[in-house]
Amino acid sequence: MAIELSFKGQIKSRKKLLNNITKLSKNSSFEIIVDDEGDISVTLCPTGEITFHIIEGGLWHKTKIEGNFQSTPAGPGFHKAAVDFIDALNMENLFYEDDTEYAEDRDFAKLCNNHFYRWLEALIELASQKTDEGNEHPLFICWSTNQYMPVVCGAKIVAPTGLWSIKFINQLIHDKGIETLADRFFVWPHEQQDATFYRNSAMKLLWEDCYYVPSERSKSDADFNRSIIDNLEKAYGLNPMLPLPYDNYCEVCHLDGSSPIIPSTAVPMMDEYKPGYRKGMVEETIDRLTITIPGSYQRHLEFNDDDWPITIWYDQSTDSPVWRLTIFELEKEIGKPKLDGNQYDYYEEFEVEGGNGVLASQQCQEDGDDFYMVICQIASGTSLHLITVSYKEPKEFDQIRSQLLLTTCRIEKE
């Protein structure tokens, strides 16, 4: 359930299209990516991306363009900006198929009232209905399925820009109207990139992307932290009365080694929860296996001597445990995995959703340093998942064991 637009057009060549996109992007610093298939994606704002699919050698030797974008949760401001961007590319025979009809009538008030506000109201009604029926599980809205999932309990709405309980969100709508919620939910709720746009861009980063670790850990951490600071300072400069997440701003400034510029007299946000999905536990899925790890851990990919891929999670800014996952595909079903329990200090067999597991722990030594290791095997069908977790302190074992027991395997449908 999303608000979408697709379009078709023609242009002289792929090079001409890319040149036009680049020219339009120079002043606004839009992100441009060309993938392995030659398709082009242009990101106008957080969660707001236009995709261009190029078909060479069309009618009269013109290059045919087919594209699309999804406007939620980016918002009506992105929808308008994306149509303006496509218009400015000077494609011939341009045709829009727009759920909102905005590409035809260019009525921004109608775009907001008849489509984005109604879309948001429908989602809240759906969430409320599920809660009334006794469903106490969170509802994920506009959450990308190819990334981590935050561990959230209870009847809540989980979105890239925030976390709200159903009760809180219904009270907000009752007291202040759907427009107030839209101003918090959508990254780009108004026509212009105003103070609300920059505040909400920061909120998306604070909630979904930021690891809440020092900028010196990695370039990506530094980029996230700096973008949050820059967006909030732009928002304050444009509208000093706009509520801001001041405590988070100061926290990220500290992580970045920067001094806060926004004064403590800034209007504080009154959201129900403080930003930061990655401050808690998250679920990471590789192949059919889903494991639960701290959100501050970054994921890396390495290969062993036999060229098997190894997925690694850890927080290099601390002395965190190091998780390693290797997946082996075998010719027949494995049943229950086994380890030689005699050589371990702890041994346990367990069941997981979609499979069976065994875990063991032992004390190890390398280069004169003592450490501990958990070895875990999880079998599901013909897949064998080997997980090892190395750690420094014995007291960390209980937490690691608890995380491993939460592991699930998706069962393949025949």
Side-chain angles (χ1 to χ4, degrees), residues 15 69 75 81-82 97 181 248 393:
K15 182 179 179 181
F69 60 80
E97 188 171 335
L181 176 60
N248 290 93
E393 299 294 336

Side-chain angles (χ1 to χ4, degrees), residues 156-167:
K156 298 181 179 70
I157 288 178
V158 182
T161 50
L163 173 71
W164 301 275
S165 70
I166 305 302
K167 181 179 179 181

Side-chain angles (χ1 to χ4, degrees), residues 333-354:
E333 289 196 9
I334 302 160
K336 291 186 176 182
K338 294 287 185 182
L339 293 171
D340 182 3
N342 294 328
Q343 68 182 36
Y344 299 106
D345 303 321
Y346 179 89
Y347 185 90
E348 177 181 6
E349 296 181 3
F350 61 98
E351 293 184 358
V352 301
E353 182 182 337

